Amino acid sequence: MKIPGAAAAFGVRTRLVLAFLLVAAVSAVTTAALTYREARSAVLERAQDTAVASFREEVERFVPGLPLDLESVRWELYDIAARSKPHPWIVFAEYGSARVSSGDRPVSGVLTGELRRAARTAPHGSFQRVVKDGQAYLTIGMPVMTRVVAGGRAVPSGLVLYAVMPMANEEADIDALVTAARDGALPGLAVALVPALFAARSVLRPVRELRSAAHSMGGGRLDTRITVRGRDEMADLARTFNSSAARLEHSVQELRDAGARARRFASDVSHELRTPLAGMLAVTDVLDEDAGTLDPDTARAVRLISAETGKLAVLVEDLMEMSRFDARAAGLNTDEVDAAEAVRRTLSGRQWQDRVRAELPEGIRIRLDPRRFDVIVANLVGNALHHGAEPVTVRLSARAGALVTEVHDSGPGIAPDALPNIFDRFYKADAARSRSTGSGLGLAITLENVRLHGGTIRAASAPGDGTLFTVELPFDGPASGSGAPDAPAAPQGAGQGTGPDRTEATA
């Protein structure tokens, strides 16, 4: 099965490693993000709490004299700024529209209106973290309360103190945390690659074993089994494979045994029939000679017996031939022959030279088995004469390193649905025709003889144009292994047409 999309470009090993690294990367990024968030909050809150508590204490100790002297307030602000922690503050005061600062360069621009409003109304003040021009600040606002008690409560004096603390150190610490998280993630992914490879190897090893075992079984070694390791899903898969392979081996062996018994039975029956058939043929020959002296009914019966005995003899011989092919006992006795002369001997030996038009160029020599080539030509020509229509043409040619033999008749053709099956044994295109003049094995034997030579045979048929059989036999003989009758050389059928059953011919 093909894998669609981009997954087809990567193997299972690569996808497993990438998935493992992806999980490791997500885990590392998630952990780093959570750690960064918590650490950032801790750093900022620690500095913030320290600064707010310290500033509140300073404000609570500050009691300005009334009426308010801004120059005196300035010196108080210097003292408060000197005691600032955890980092230096810039402290300034607001009293109505009057402002005074402890620094040479006031930074009151970082204060928001929200903080000012909260500092004037909240007794304990307020604070904010503000980022301005890329710089982070902690801003704190505290109202200064009078010590005059009215009704048991302190009241705001109208003076508000503000502290602005740059948080450059905290930002540097946070940046260091980010850098550390980033620098730690890359080595972590590199380290995660090692267990990823081991995990992929542990998963793919049984898969590779399964692939090798399936390939071995596809090559015919049905006794192949996989070693079962552990008790996980892959072990269950290996057990299932072994169980299926055992059942398949058993089934195939039963089929082989049944096929062998069937071939042996056909061979034995054919062999046993040869002796009584020989005697019957001798008797029918004698009866044929005396048929003219018998009464008409007896003469017809004698001639019918003689014809049927002849058909039975041909069937037995063909069955013997097919049994040799099935048992892989058929072989080639090759010799270098003149192809045109071989075809002429076939036609003259059966007295077909007057009924067949031959186009036989001289000088084509090929190494083949003369007897089996005679069977090929005789079966095809006989099939054309018996089931097609004259004129029948036999044509020889040489092309693409092969001897091409074409047999064409002028009959009505073969039905398209029957054409792919004409080389099957005992196949009849017309099911209504229960009897035929041949054994029903002629084209099947022709196919086996062509395969034995390492060649191919195909049939084409068209309405009104008859049927054309084309045989190609290589000049250099059968390829290694292709001379066996079970070599792959399936017949090909093409075209259209109608006509009688064309599967029968005699040698």
Side-chain angles (χ1 to χ4, degrees):
M1 170 178 125
K2 295 182 178 179
I3 304 175
F10 300 99
V12 176
R13 180 188 184 91
T14 303
R15 295 202 299 272
L16 284 175
V17 172
L18 290 178
F20 199 96
L21 291 180
L22 179 61
V23 172
V26 171
S27 300
V29 170
T30 303
T31 302
L34 293 176
T35 303
Y36 165 76
R37 188 184 68 178
E38 296 299 325
R40 181 177 184 276
S41 298
V43 169
L44 294 178
E45 288 177 1
R46 183 176 67 248
Q48 170 186 295
D49 293 345
T50 302
V52 171
S54 177
F55 187 64
R56 182 178 287 116
E57 290 177 0
E58 296 296 333
V59 172
E60 288 176 352
R61 284 199 299 264
F62 175 54
V63 180
L66 296 175
L68 189 64
D69 181 4
L70 293 180
E71 191 62 28
S72 298
V73 171
R74 184 189 300 277
W75 287 104
E76 290 290 342
L77 296 183
Y78 287 150
D79 291 339
I80 293 174
R83 293 189 295 272
S84 62
K85 56 181 179 180
H87 306 304
W89 305 330
I90 298 175
V91 185
F92 59 93
E94 289 184 356
Y95 187 77
S97 61
R99 290 181 175 82
V100 62
S101 174
S102 67
D104 297 332
R105 185 171 59 86
V107 290
S108 59
V110 300
L111 300 177
T112 64
E114 181 182 358
L115 178 66
R116 282 189 167 94
R117 287 190 298 270
R120 292 190 187 101
T121 57
H124 300 289
S126 182
F127 62 90
Q128 274 187 336
R129 288 200 295 267
V130 180
V131 177
K132 185 175 183 180
D133 299 330
Q135 176 65 48
Y137 298 93
L138 174 65
T139 59
I140 310 170
M142 295 284 180
V144 177
M145 309 299 289
T146 64
R147 291 187 181 276
V148 179
V149 178
R153 296 182 61 186
V155 295
S157 65
L159 177 65
V160 180
L161 299 186
Y162 295 96
V164 177
M165 183 181 75
M167 304 191 73
N169 292 341
E170 285 72 19
E171 291 295 328
D173 292 342
I174 292 172
D175 291 340
L177 286 174
V178 173
T179 302
R182 182 189 63 215
D183 295 344
L186 295 178
L189 289 178
V191 172
L193 182 62
V194 177
L197 292 174
F198 277 108
R201 181 174 180 271
S202 63
V203 171
L204 291 180
R205 180 177 59 193
V207 174
R208 285 194 296 266
E209 291 179 355
L210 180 62
R211 180 187 62 185
S212 177
H215 181 74
S216 179
M217 289 191 65
R221 297 183 56 186
L222 301 181
D223 58 344
T224 302
R225 300 294 184 270
I226 299 176
T227 303
V228 180
R229 300 183 182 90
R231 298 182 179 180
D232 56 5
E233 290 81 359
M234 301 307 297
D236 293 339
L237 178 61
R239 294 189 190 94
T240 302
F241 177 87
N242 291 341
S243 177
S244 301
R247 290 194 295 270
L248 178 62
E249 182 182 18
H250 179 70
S251 299
V252 170
Q253 188 59 45
E254 287 185 341
L255 291 175
R256 286 174 176 171
D257 293 342
R261 288 193 297 269
R263 289 192 297 270
R264 191 182 309 113
F265 174 78
S267 177
D268 292 345
V269 168
S270 301
H271 186 272
E272 293 300 324
L273 286 175
R274 296 182 74 180
T275 301
L277 275 175
M280 293 173 64
L281 287 173
V283 172
T284 55
D285 288 342
V286 174
L287 291 176
D288 280 340
E289 293 176 358
D290 297 336
T293 63
L294 302 175
D295 62 86
D297 291 338
T298 304
R300 279 196 301 272
V302 167
R303 292 190 179 94
L304 178 62
I305 292 174
S306 177
E308 294 299 323
T309 303
K311 292 179 185 179
L312 182 58
V314 171
L315 175 61
V316 170
E317 290 299 326
D318 287 348
L319 286 174
M320 290 288 292
E321 185 73 1
M322 292 304 299
S323 67
R324 283 191 287 270
F325 285 121
D326 291 340
R328 294 176 174 82
L332 294 176
N333 296 316
T334 61
D335 191 10
E336 186 173 331
V337 301
D338 183 282
E341 182 61 28
V343 173
R344 279 194 289 267
R345 281 198 300 267
T346 300
L347 299 179
S348 63
R350 292 162 177 80
Q351 299 180 356
W352 288 339
Q353 62 270 32
D354 297 332
R355 303 175 60 189
V356 176
R357 183 172 59 196
E359 299 178 7
L360 309 175
E362 301 295 336
I364 301 179
R365 300 190 65 81
I366 182 173
R367 190 167 191 85
L368 45 71
D369 187 325
R371 184 185 71 83
R372 295 190 181 278
F373 184 67
D374 174 77
V375 171
I376 293 172
V377 176
N379 280 356
L380 294 179
V381 174
N383 188 77
L385 292 173
H386 296 155
H387 301 289
E390 299 182 28
V392 174
T393 302
V394 178
R395 183 182 299 108
L396 289 180
S397 62
R399 62 173 180 262
L403 170 67
V404 180
T405 305
E406 296 176 316
V407 178
H408 182 259
D409 65 57
S410 302
I414 302 175
D417 57 342
L419 197 59
N421 304 309
I422 59 174
F423 293 97
D424 295 345
R425 302 176 186 183
F426 298 108
Y427 178 77
K428 296 181 183 297
D430 185 3
R433 185 169 58 83
S434 59
R435 298 188 59 78
S436 60
T437 58
S439 66
L441 295 172
L443 292 182
I445 291 176
T446 301
L447 171 64
E448 297 295 342
N449 280 308
V450 171
R451 285 179 172 176
L452 201 60
H453 283 86
T456 60
I457 181 172
R458 58 183 180 272
S461 185
D465 193 33
T467 302
L468 172 65
F469 286 91
T470 304
V471 176
E472 295 185 7
L473 302 180
F475 282 111
D476 53 359
S480 177
S482 64
D486 58 338
Q492 303 173 2
Q496 297 179 353
T498 59
D501 170 29
R502 300 296 303 270
T503 65
E504 299 176 356
T506 60

